[in-house]
């Protein structure tokens, strides 16, 4: 059994000023979002993850979505340069929190990338070329990671915010996917579970060892996952979904490395 850390950050009181791209603005209940975020942290703890919870950032509406600030691999961490200008200041505190755990590398201008666009599967990093992430960042990340044997591939994603809105890993060789937003042919040598067609946003799950943390809002896709024998810890996540965030967005999960 691997040991994992997760970095999280409390919901900002400014959450109602969050960025939105593909959904309409609806009021977000800060207390409810915070309560659900605590349940998410508890879910991580329930499967043995050590949670490092950072304080809320008053001035940074989207700062609860820490996933977008870094890509943490066993060998190093890449600090991103988020695609939305309002989110660029979020990375400083995340770099400081990661520094004790990994050597850091930094994506530089003109590169932009949100961690939500980066899906590592084995030694391949798939990067969604969304409105938030570009080829310059793909090239920079390829240069950082080539010495560790990774290949970094930019792929097309349409209709949703990030690559990981459309596809995430739910087993070593299994991806949970919304085939309307990505092309399954871009992911060789894996098995797929498709989301139920009525549950477009159901493809985002957090994989920890052989369990996933999964939103309660998608019962039909949940049934498909159960039928595939995937262990699940269910969490309420509908309040932060109004900020266009899902479950992977709320943590930076990485293996403890004992040097
Ligand atoms: C944004 O538009 O940047 C935030 N409102 C939502 C970010 C969600 N993050 C993620 O999917 N990794």
């Amino acid at each position: 059994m691997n040991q994992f850390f997760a970095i999280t950050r409390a919901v900002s009181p400014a959450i109602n000023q969050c960025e939105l791209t593909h959904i309409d603005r609806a009021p977000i209940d800060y207390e409810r979002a915070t309560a659900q975020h605590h349940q998410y942290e508890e879910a991580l703890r329930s499967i043995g993850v050590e949670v490092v919870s950072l304080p809320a950032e008053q001035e940074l509406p989207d700062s609860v979505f820490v996933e977008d600030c870094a890509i943490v691999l066993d060998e190093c961490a890449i600090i991103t340069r988020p695609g939305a200008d309002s989110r660029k200041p979020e990375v400083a505190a995340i770099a400081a929190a990661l520094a004790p755990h990994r050597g850091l590398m930094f994506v530089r201008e003109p590169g932009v990338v949100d961690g939500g666009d980066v899906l590592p599967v084995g030694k391949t990093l798939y990067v969604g070329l969304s409105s938030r992430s570009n080829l310059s960042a793909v090239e920079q990340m390829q240069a950082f990671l080539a010495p560790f044997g990774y290949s970094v591939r930019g792929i097309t994603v349409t209709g949703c915010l990030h690559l990981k809105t459309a596809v995430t890993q739910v087993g070593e060789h299994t991806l949970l996917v919304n085939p309307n937003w990505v092309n399954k042919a871009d992911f060789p040598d894996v098995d797929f579970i498709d989301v139920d067609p009525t549950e477009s946003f159901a493809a985002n799950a957090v994989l920890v060892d052989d369990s996933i943390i999964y939103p309660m809002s998608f019962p039909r896709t949940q049934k498909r996952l159960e039928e595939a024998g995937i262990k699940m810890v269910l969490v309420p996540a509908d309040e932060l979904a109004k900020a266009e965030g899902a479950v992977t967005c709320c943590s930076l999960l990485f293996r403890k490395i004992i040097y």
Side-chain angles (χ1 to χ4, degrees), residues 119-220:
L119 176 68
V121 181
K123 286 280 190 180
T124 303
L125 264 67
Y126 297 98
V127 182
L129 297 171
S130 70
S131 60
R132 300 288 178 85
S133 302
N134 66 14
L135 267 178
S136 169
V138 170
E139 286 162 9
Q140 292 180 48
M141 292 194 288
Q142 178 65 80
F144 297 151
L145 297 180
F148 303 118
Y150 287 88
S151 98
V152 182
R153 292 190 207 160
I155 62 169
T156 302
V157 54
T158 48
C160 61
L161 180 60
H162 286 131
L163 179 65
K164 279 189 274 190
T165 326
V167 55
T168 56
Q169 197 173 15
V170 292
E172 195 181 351
H173 303 289
T174 308
L175 301 182
L176 177 63
V177 63
N178 178 335
N180 295 322
W181 289 341
V182 283
N183 181 355
K184 285 155 84 169
D186 283 339
F187 304 92
D189 306 322
V190 291
D191 300 321
F192 294 100
I193 299 172
D194 287 8
V195 299
D196 185 275
T198 63
E199 295 177 341
S200 301
F201 287 92
N204 188 273
V206 178
L207 177 66
V208 184
D209 273 330
D210 60 351
S211 302
I212 61 168
I213 295 177
Y214 193 67
M216 290 172 169
S217 321
F218 307 115
R220 294 185 170 142

Side-chain angles (χ1 to χ4, degrees), residues 17-38:
Q17 278 79 59
C18 68
E19 297 281 341
L20 289 177
T21 307
H22 292 276
I23 63 172
D24 293 331
R25 196 166 292 277
I28 299 170
D29 181 331
Y30 167 71
E31 307 293 338
R32 188 162 184 269
T34 295
Q36 292 190 350
H37 189 253
H38 286 151

